[in-house]
Amino acid sequence: MTLVMNPATSASVFDMLLRMFHQYILSTHKSKYTQFLVFVACSVGLPFADRYLQYLLSVTLSDEYPALTRQACCAYVSSFLARADFLDQVLIEKGLHILLTWVKTNQPTASDATLHNLIAQTVMYVFCFTHDKLLEGREDPAAWFTTMGFPEVCLCPLAMQTSLASIAREFIEVVEQLHLLPATSAFDCATCYAAVSASAPGPGMLGAFFPFDPYLLKRSSRHVDPLYNSWDGLASASGRAGAGTDGTSCSQSDNEDDQMLASSMDEAMAGVLHSPAALAAFAAKRPAAAATITAAALLHGNHRAPSSLGMTPPAAGAAGAPVGSVGSIGSMGDDEGEDDDDPHPEF
């Protein structure tokens, strides 16, 4: 089904979605499905996807936000760029270029060392999923790879030691098989393999959080699957776990959410949500989407969205826990029956 929205009001509707995302979804620990409403909305057109990416990057790279808010945004950058199949080469390269440039021009400090490591893992993760698209049409892929700064940021010992071993190894494998390191490079794959730590827990508590991992709800998946980039590893495709086949099962509450999210996405796809007022009414009547919003609202009070959306960002010293603070990330608790032992089953 093709998304049909009134052009005159689609921007304001998207503003509402971003406001909800910033206020409630971003700070919810391991949000499972609600964020896919934004994912689907971004597929309306690249300007929406670009706007969402700019928002995520602006929070990730701004020292005005708490560390965990920035790390959470970085996790969304990673998963969005890797999984949104509707993104083009230009937009993916833009996101990676901004991240690589920031790491190269900002020395890690005690307060943001974890973020530096998480960004390096993000770049590796995105490249593993999108290297075909990124390298398409380039006369000299190896030169582009080096000019972008991938070796400097991702193939250093620190990045290898602090990233999830599955991601680091897959990145090295892609680089090696595509011959992206010239013989004169100061980096070599054998040294990188040796530096990978099998016991590394990942950079920070959000290092193993991939918010747009395979979507497991059956009814509403019809809206997500056509937009989704499933894992097709370069040399290990036989070991991949595609969308909905990673061994995770759906609970009864997930099935209830599925029915409601399916209806929610149907309404959006039909163009019913044509104004901020209609979207607000939708959020109020759809428990699947509103459950996260209601719980987080109780925790965080009257937070507002970033100034880039025409609103004032939450101040770190404001009443209540700031979005992304220790008091909000992790406050919702793990989902019942969720397995945290395998942080990313697809690699």
Side-chain angles (χ1 to χ4, degrees):
M1 187 182 296
T2 302
L3 185 68
V4 179
M5 296 185 74
N6 185 339
T9 56
S10 58
S12 59
V13 171
F14 196 74
D15 278 353
M16 178 71 78
L17 278 173
L18 280 184
R19 189 179 309 125
M20 290 179 177
F21 176 86
H22 180 84
Q23 287 178 300
Y24 310 124
I25 299 175
L26 178 61
S27 60
T28 300
H29 181 54
K30 294 188 176 180
S31 178
K32 293 178 68 175
Y33 304 119
T34 311
Q35 62 267 27
F36 276 92
L37 289 170
V38 182
F39 186 93
V40 171
C42 286
S43 72
V44 177
L46 286 177
F48 290 110
D50 186 29
R51 193 169 180 187
Y52 181 54
L53 179 60
Q54 287 186 45
Y55 153 73
L56 292 175
L57 289 169
S58 67
V59 176
T60 298
L61 304 180
S62 172
D63 57 10
E64 296 181 1
Y65 290 90
L68 287 180
T69 300
R70 299 172 69 184
Q71 292 171 33
C73 263
C74 189
Y76 274 93
V77 171
S78 174
S79 207
F80 181 64
L81 289 178
R83 294 297 195 170
D85 201 39
F86 49 86
L87 301 181
D88 63 7
Q89 182 191 70
V90 173
L91 195 55
I92 299 171
E93 181 180 358
K94 172 185 174 181
L96 292 176
H97 176 72
I98 290 172
L99 292 174
L100 287 164
T101 300
W102 187 85
V103 172
K104 290 187 293 182
T105 56
N106 289 270
Q107 292 297 319
T109 64
S111 62
D112 64 10
T114 297
L115 181 64
H116 272 73
N117 298 335
L118 184 58
I119 289 176
Q121 177 178 285
T122 290
V123 171
M124 287 189 274
Y125 182 78
V126 172
F127 188 79
C128 286
F129 272 89
T130 63
H131 58 81
D132 285 344
K133 188 178 289 187
L134 286 168
L135 299 179
E136 183 178 1
R138 301 194 188 279
E139 293 184 5
D140 191 344
W144 173 84
F145 183 79
T146 300
T147 301
M148 282 282 288
F150 285 95
E152 180 182 349
V153 172
C154 301
L155 295 178
C156 63
L158 182 61
M160 292 289 105
Q161 292 165 5
T162 59
S163 298
L164 290 171
S166 56
I167 295 176
R169 291 194 182 107
E170 187 70 27
F171 180 75
I172 298 169
E173 187 174 345
V174 170
V175 170
E176 187 173 38
Q177 295 202 23
L178 296 181
H179 306 290
L180 295 178
L181 287 180
T184 57
S185 174
F187 304 90
D188 69 272
C189 293
T191 302
C192 292
Y193 271 121
V196 175
S197 173
S199 61
M205 65 180 296
L206 292 169
F209 175 48
F210 302 91
F212 295 118
D213 256 5
Y215 190 82
L216 305 179
L217 303 183
K218 294 180 180 179
R219 295 182 184 89
S220 48
S221 65
R222 67 181 181 272
H223 296 299
V224 177
D225 288 350
L227 312 173
Y228 197 77
N229 182 23
S230 296
W231 172 241
D232 294 312
L234 183 68
S236 55
S238 61
R240 69 176 277 261
T245 62
D246 64 354
T248 306
S249 60
C250 292
S251 65
Q252 178 63 33
S253 62
D254 287 341
N255 291 329
E256 293 171 358
D257 284 351
D258 187 18
Q259 184 173 359
M260 295 173 185
L261 277 169
S263 299
S264 303
M265 290 180 182
D266 282 341
E267 290 187 9
M269 297 300 243
V272 173
L273 305 182
H274 54 78
S275 71
L279 185 57
F282 143 75
K285 72 178 181 178
R286 295 297 180 196
T292 296
I293 294 173
T294 303
L298 292 173
L299 286 171
H300 308 304
N302 189 27
H303 283 307
R304 294 171 291 176
S307 54
S308 60
L309 302 181
M311 297 142 221
T312 305
V323 173
S325 69
V326 175
S328 57
I329 293 289
S331 58
M332 301 299 293
D334 290 338
D335 294 298
E336 183 177 356
E338 191 172 64
D339 183 5
D340 290 328
D341 293 334
D342 189 1
H344 198 272
E346 293 207 300
F347 279 163

